[in-house]
Amino acid sequence: MVRISGSEARRVAGEILRPPISWQAWRAQLVELIDVHGQTVDQAVATFFEAPRSYTAEDLIEISCHGSPVVLRHAIERALAAGARLAEPGEFTLRAFLHGRIDLPQAEAVRDLIEATTLYQARIAAQQAGGSVSRRLAPLKEPLLELIALLEAGIDFAEDDISVAPPEEILRRLVPIIEGIRQLAESYRYGALVREGIAMAIVGRPNVGKSSLFNRLLEQDRAIVTDIPGTTRDLVSETAAIGGIPVKLYDTAGIRDASELVESLGIERSYQAMADADLTLVVVDLSQPLERDDFALIARAQLQGRHLVAGNKCDLLPNRDREGWEFSGIPVSALTCEGIPQLRQKILNDIAPHGAFEQETGCITSLRHEQLLRESATYLEKARGAVESHIPHEMLLLDLYAALRPIDAITGATTADDILNRIFSTFCIGK
Ligand code: GDP
């Protein structure tokens, strides 16, 4: 699709399309894309969005071609020759923002939406593109503005601060704002998970079924499975969506006391992957007695923090063996898929514990937002301290204004150019 925006959009599109079009707002028309000699290059559909009800809030025309890169390139070249210019990365969204059609968190969410790798990420980004961040901030910003107004009024009209707004009254208003801002900042921990995902290393002795399990979790055949011990010598990584959260899986070389050089390099990397991972999945083979190496690995994973133990090949166990069973990990079979849903659930519980999902409607996913919220909370705390030590309201107001600024920087009320540039430069062209 080629998108032309601006007051000249109709004229430019008119020069490259046939037949001569009488543009009707929000109507799609069948047209022909023509070359300089007037020859038809493609049959296309042109849709006219009239300002201000368009993506950019300007007159906007979208020409949908059949998709050949050659045709699209030609359409762009012809539009350029007719006086258009190429859009900068994110410029369409920037224009929407500059015309006040969307606010900054919405613009940032458009980028997240484009970059989403799981449907769940897309859903959260779509909520934010619909304005969920600003909606969560509004009930915090409003009482802050009211408090500022109250104190300003007190300074203007009263000799004595205390009579206008006693400390208890200020604290009654201030404390819920601080809590709300902190809570929202806190939701980033979950938001970052959704956005960035986590890294999970899969470790275990050779041939316990790491690669098979890796494939099961990915639901596709990425790693090479063999039955010669120690064939996965490199780290293989791939991202699976578990509960909508991107989980980057690292399949590591089988860990055992290595004599061979190449193998030991692989083992070195496995330890490295364990150290770098947010979560380690230790795989053992249930069809055999656990070995010294298994216990050593589990101990090492325990030492490093978050880990799960999966007992693979449980399909090889005759049922009677499972009675009075001592194994405390998750029994699975990469072969029959038994236990795989439970394993996924355990992974999910580990990365997003105690109902983190309930937060999904309000969580923030941008580090920039998180930092601004923390900055705001810091000033609000300062203000709280000032009230408690009866510091004059003029000073208190300085802190409250300082707390307001970062909030404005999120909602875009007072956004400096450099922040705008930072946000929009990370877009891709055509968005
Ligand atoms: P890795 O060296 O730990 O990555 O192990 P692989 O995934 O390459 O598997 C080693 C061998 O065990 C292969 O022959 C697999 O087919 C087999 N295997 C893996 N998982 C299972 C399982 O759950 N049940 C059974 N019966 N065999 C399995």
Side-chain angles (χ1 to χ4, degrees), residues 59-80:
D59 274 355
L60 186 141
I61 287 165
E62 292 181 349
I63 306 170
S64 305
C65 307
H66 276 105
S68 148
V70 185
V71 171
L72 290 172
R73 169 170 283 274
H74 183 74
I76 290 171
E77 278 167 2
R78 295 271 292 132
L80 295 183

Side-chain angles (χ1 to χ4, degrees), residues 205-212 225-227 232 312-313 315-316 333-335:
R205 282 191 300 110
N207 245 18
V208 293
K210 293 180 298 300
S211 306
S212 312
V225 182
T226 65
D227 44 17
T232 316
N312 192 31
K313 307 195 190 182
D315 57 290
L316 294 179
S333 166
L335 191 71

Side-chain angles (χ1 to χ4, degrees), residues 177-240:
I177 306 175
I178 301 180
E179 276 165 9
I181 299 265
R182 281 213 186 288
Q183 237 173 36
L184 199 54
E186 206 51 39
S187 77
Y188 176 70
R189 279 211 303 193
Y190 179 65
L193 246 181
V194 174
R195 208 187 132 136
E196 314 292 338
I198 65 150
M200 182 171 90
I202 304 179
V203 302
R205 282 191 300 110
N207 245 18
V208 293
K210 293 180 298 300
S211 306
S212 312
L213 212 49
F214 179 83
N215 289 336
R216 275 295 173 222
L217 289 171
L218 278 179
E219 289 161 337
Q220 67 189 50
D221 289 334
R222 172 68 177 81
I224 302 151
V225 182
T226 65
D227 44 17
I228 309 155
T231 42
T232 316
R233 288 193 167 132
D234 272 317
L235 276 182
V236 186
S237 96
E238 199 66 67
T239 304

Side-chain angles (χ1 to χ4, degrees), residues 35-335:
D35 67 12
V36 255
H37 311 295
Q39 301 220 310
T40 303
V41 178
D42 193 4
Q43 198 174 49
V45 172
T47 314
F48 173 46
F49 301 85
E50 191 169 33
R53 283 175 52 204
S54 75
Y55 187 75
T56 54
E58 299 168 344
D59 274 355
L60 186 141
I61 287 165
E62 292 181 349
I63 306 170
S64 305
C65 307
H66 276 105
S68 148
V70 185
V71 171
L72 290 172
R73 169 170 283 274
H74 183 74
I76 290 171
E77 278 167 2
R78 295 271 292 132
L80 295 183
R85 72 160 171 79
L86 278 182
E88 302 288 338
E91 187 171 350
F92 291 113
T93 311
L94 175 64
R95 289 188 179 198
F97 166 72
L98 292 177
H99 289 121
R101 201 181 68 70
I102 57 173
D103 66 15
L104 261 193
Q106 287 177 299
E108 288 171 289
V110 170
R111 180 195 52 202
D112 287 355
L113 196 50
I114 295 162
E115 287 174 357
T117 54
T118 72
L119 269 182
Y120 188 70
Q121 283 179 318
R123 206 166 78 216
I124 296 225
Q127 281 166 358
Q128 299 191 344
S132 69
V133 173
S134 301
R135 268 202 302 281
R136 279 237 12 209
L137 266 175
L140 298 168
K141 184 174 167 177
E142 203 41 49
L144 178 57
L145 288 173
E146 280 168 19
L147 182 57
I148 290 175
L150 178 78
L151 296 178
E152 287 283 13
I155 287 165
D156 287 347
F157 299 114
E159 290 292 295
D160 179 9
D161 286 346
I162 314 229
S163 61
V164 176
E168 309 79 61
E169 170 64 11
I170 302 179
L171 288 179
R172 190 185 64 78
R173 289 162 175 258
L174 188 56
V175 171
I177 306 175
I178 301 180
E179 276 165 9
I181 299 265
R182 281 213 186 288
Q183 237 173 36
L184 199 54
E186 206 51 39
S187 77
Y188 176 70
R189 279 211 303 193
Y190 179 65
L193 246 181
V194 174
R195 208 187 132 136
E196 314 292 338
I198 65 150
M200 182 171 90
I202 304 179
V203 302
R205 282 191 300 110
N207 245 18
V208 293
K210 293 180 298 300
S211 306
S212 312
L213 212 49
F214 179 83
N215 289 336
R216 275 295 173 222
L217 289 171
L218 278 179
E219 289 161 337
Q220 67 189 50
D221 289 334
R222 172 68 177 81
I224 302 151
V225 182
T226 65
D227 44 17
I228 309 155
T231 42
T232 316
R233 288 193 167 132
D234 272 317
L235 276 182
V236 186
S237 96
E238 199 66 67
T239 304
I242 297 184
I245 293 173
V247 177
K248 190 158 196 193
L249 303 171
Y250 290 91
D251 181 15
T252 62
I255 293 178
R256 62 170 176 195
D257 286 333
S259 42
E260 204 188 327
L261 183 66
V262 187
E263 265 297 315
S264 71
L265 273 178
I267 288 163
E268 198 45 50
R269 285 201 211 174
S270 301
Y271 283 150
Q272 190 61 48
M274 278 171 84
D276 291 343
D278 303 297
L279 175 66
T280 297
L281 178 66
V282 184
V283 185
V284 297
D285 183 344
L286 282 186
S287 68
Q288 295 172 356
L290 293 198
E291 291 183 13
R292 189 175 52 94
D293 283 358
D294 294 314
F295 293 113
L297 262 177
I298 294 172
R300 188 166 179 126
Q302 260 164 356
L303 210 72
Q304 289 190 330
R306 293 158 63 179
H307 73 285
L308 293 169
V309 181
N312 192 31
K313 307 195 190 182
C314 72
D315 57 290
L316 294 179
L317 291 178
N319 275 336
R320 61 187 146 75
D321 277 13
R322 294 197 213 173
E323 279 165 29
W325 201 21
E326 297 275 295
F327 181 67
S328 62
I330 310 140
V332 296
S333 166
L335 191 71

